[in-house]
């Protein structure tokens, strides 16, 4: 599930070094067995904290988190037979942490657009349309990666991940719920051509990254805490 053939600079979101580090940190979080949902949530947000985040970077981040979840759970199961229930709980919490982080990322885009509108400003139509298009596929990217990881796994890990995958498809996800609000805000902003708003001159991606950074560091308390309302 790795992409070893990219040669991006280290400061690029989703670069090989960043992806390997993210995967290792998630694996270690599962192995440690404490505060898993919050830790995966924070690590995912931290990985998305870059102004040039794009669909391919998001795909690699989600894949790395899922691989770390898989490997950490496998490591736990190898240590002792009585770890079965603990492993189930850890996998579920970790996937919920990833889901809530993606929801927070989607919410950050919404907040960035709303903040600009509140100042009678708007981001460029080109960036609004591009970002909306990218966000529209975020839930399916999450669910598809979850399912792919499940089908590549074996035994208990495969069973738990498949259950979570089916649950996500049937009842929805945190990121899917948030995307409904976010995409509605984008549609509203794109439709408001006749308003007296002027372009901010700022990048929506950069503003979103600033909000994500604050959320990752815990200083943005106004954003609703998705980790406490997980569906899993």
């Amino acid at each position: 599930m790795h992409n070893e053939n990219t040669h991006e600079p280290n400061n690029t979101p989703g670069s090989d070094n960043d992806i390997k580090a993210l995967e290792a940190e998630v694996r270690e979080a599962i192995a440690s067995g404490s505060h898993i949902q919050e830790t995966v949530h924070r690590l995912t947000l931290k990985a998305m904290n870059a102004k040039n985040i794009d669909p391919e970077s998001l795909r690699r981040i989600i894949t790395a988190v899922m691989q770390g979840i898989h490997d950490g759970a496998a490591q736990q199961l190898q240590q002792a037979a009585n770890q079965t229930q603990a492993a189930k709980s850890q996998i579920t919490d970790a996937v919920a942490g990833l889901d809530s982080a993606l929801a927070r990322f989607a919410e950050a885009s919404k907040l960035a657009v709303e903040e600009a509108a509140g100042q009678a400003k708007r981001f460029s139509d080109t960036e609004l349309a591009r970002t909306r298009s990218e966000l529209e596929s975020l839930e399916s990217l999450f669910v598809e990666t979850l399912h792919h990881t499940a089908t590549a796994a074996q035994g208990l890990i495969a069973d738990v991940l498949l259950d979570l995958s089916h649950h996500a498809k049937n009842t929805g996800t945190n990121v899917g719920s948030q995307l409904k609000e976010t995409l509605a805000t984008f549609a509203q902003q794109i439709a408001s051509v006749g308003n007296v708003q002027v372009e901010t001159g700022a990048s929506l991606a950069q503003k979103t990254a600033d909000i994500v950074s604050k959320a990752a560091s815990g200083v943005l308390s106004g954003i609703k805490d998705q980790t406490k309302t997980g569906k899993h």
Side-chain angles (χ1 to χ4, degrees):
M1 297 179 67
H2 303 286
N3 184 352
E4 299 293 347
N5 297 319
T6 56
H7 298 285
E8 301 157 322
N10 288 343
N11 61 353
T12 302
S15 69
D16 283 342
N17 286 349
D18 292 340
I19 290 299
K20 287 175 183 175
L22 173 61
E23 190 177 306
E25 286 177 315
V26 171
R27 183 176 65 246
E28 288 166 12
I30 304 294
S32 75
S34 61
H35 306 294
I36 290 173
Q37 184 172 339
E38 292 84 354
T39 301
V40 172
H41 176 92
R42 177 178 52 78
L43 289 172
T44 304
L45 281 180
K46 181 182 173 186
M48 293 190 297
N49 176 23
K51 66 179 180 180
N52 295 319
I53 198 77
D54 56 31
E56 179 57 26
S57 296
L58 281 171
R59 179 181 297 278
R60 299 188 72 199
I61 287 167
I62 293 170
T63 299
V65 172
M66 286 307 308
Q67 186 65 43
I69 292 170
H70 172 277
D71 293 348
Q75 185 177 322
Q76 277 285 70
L77 287 170
Q78 287 173 355
Q79 290 173 355
N82 63 3
Q83 290 295 315
T84 299
Q85 192 55 47
K88 286 183 180 180
S89 176
Q90 289 165 348
I91 294 169
T92 301
D93 285 350
V95 171
L98 172 58
D99 183 13
S100 64
L102 295 174
R104 178 116 353 146
F105 178 74
E107 187 178 14
S109 295
K110 170 178 170 282
L111 292 175
V113 170
E114 288 177 339
E115 183 178 310
Q119 299 171 351
K121 295 179 181 179
R122 61 184 287 124
F123 296 101
S124 74
D125 289 339
T126 300
E127 189 173 23
L128 283 168
R130 183 182 70 245
T131 304
R132 180 176 68 172
S133 176
E134 292 171 356
L135 287 171
E136 283 173 341
S137 64
L138 187 57
E139 183 184 29
S140 62
L141 174 59
F142 167 54
V143 175
E144 286 167 10
T145 306
L146 174 58
H147 182 72
H148 178 75
T149 307
T151 56
Q154 296 179 336
L156 173 74
I157 297 172
D159 293 342
V160 176
L161 289 176
L162 280 172
D163 282 347
L164 291 173
S165 174
H166 293 322
H167 181 78
K169 289 177 182 176
N170 293 334
T171 65
T173 62
N174 271 325
V175 64
S177 297
Q178 178 57 54
L179 280 170
K180 290 176 185 176
E181 295 180 23
T182 298
L183 293 173
T185 297
F186 270 68
Q188 210 172 32
Q189 181 70 353
I190 290 170
S192 64
V193 179
N195 290 6
V196 292
Q197 294 168 309
V198 296
E199 286 196 11
T200 64
S203 160
L204 172 56
Q206 178 61 65
K207 185 60 183 176
T208 299
D210 290 344
I211 296 173
V212 167
S213 177
K214 291 176 182 177
S217 61
V219 300
L220 191 62
S221 58
I223 248 180
K224 60 178 173 282
D225 191 350
Q226 297 279 356
T227 66
K228 302 302 181 190
T229 57
K231 291 177 180 287
H232 302 300

